[in-house]
Amino acid sequence: MSNPSKVTKAEEFEPRIVAFLCKWCSSAGSDLAGVSRIQYSANATPITIPCSGSVSPMFILSAFNKGADGVLISGCHPGDCHYMEGNYLARRKLYLVKELLQFIGLESERFRMSWVSAAEGAKFAEVVDEFVEDLRVLGPQNRLKAKR
């Protein structure tokens, strides 16, 4: 019989996620998840951006520096970008960010990109829940977190 008071660190750890969401698709998808009352982890702090292609790598590094355990970028499906090529630009740019994170010693699994349309509230909830579970396994991110 397990002792209920003996909780492992992985069970106690609640990852903090900064989610940069395209205002045309993924932000609307998160809104749909909310109005549809779909239950998902409350670990993500959404930041609405004009386009996933507008995310600067500095935003991502800053989020990790300020204590995020994971960063999620979510935009329109390829071919559906309101700015024509923004999500293609994001995909190329964020591939390099993932390489940079590995180079500086941060697990690349702490950074994720997804495509969620405005009609995919359930998919948005699924993406966040999966990311939270993956980050729980990794534990807290202390590599880039500023000492304050």
Side-chain angles (χ1 to χ4, degrees), residues 26-91:
S26 298
S27 183
S30 78
D31 289 345
L32 179 62
V35 297
S36 301
R37 298 180 188 258
I38 298 171
Q39 298 290 314
Y40 63 97
S41 303
N43 301 53
T45 302
I47 298 174
T48 302
I49 54 173
C51 176
S52 59
S54 68
V55 174
S56 165
M58 291 304 293
F59 297 168
I60 297 162
L61 294 173
S62 178
F64 282 121
N65 182 261
K66 293 182 188 293
D69 298 302
V71 174
L72 172 69
I73 311 290
S74 190
C76 305
H77 286 275
D80 290 343
C81 179
H82 284 68
Y83 301 102
M84 306 305 284
E85 298 177 346
N87 47 15
Y88 292 116
L89 174 64
R91 187 167 51 190

Side-chain angles (χ1 to χ4, degrees), residues 18 35 57 101 105 119 132:
V18 174
V35 297
L101 293 176
V132 167

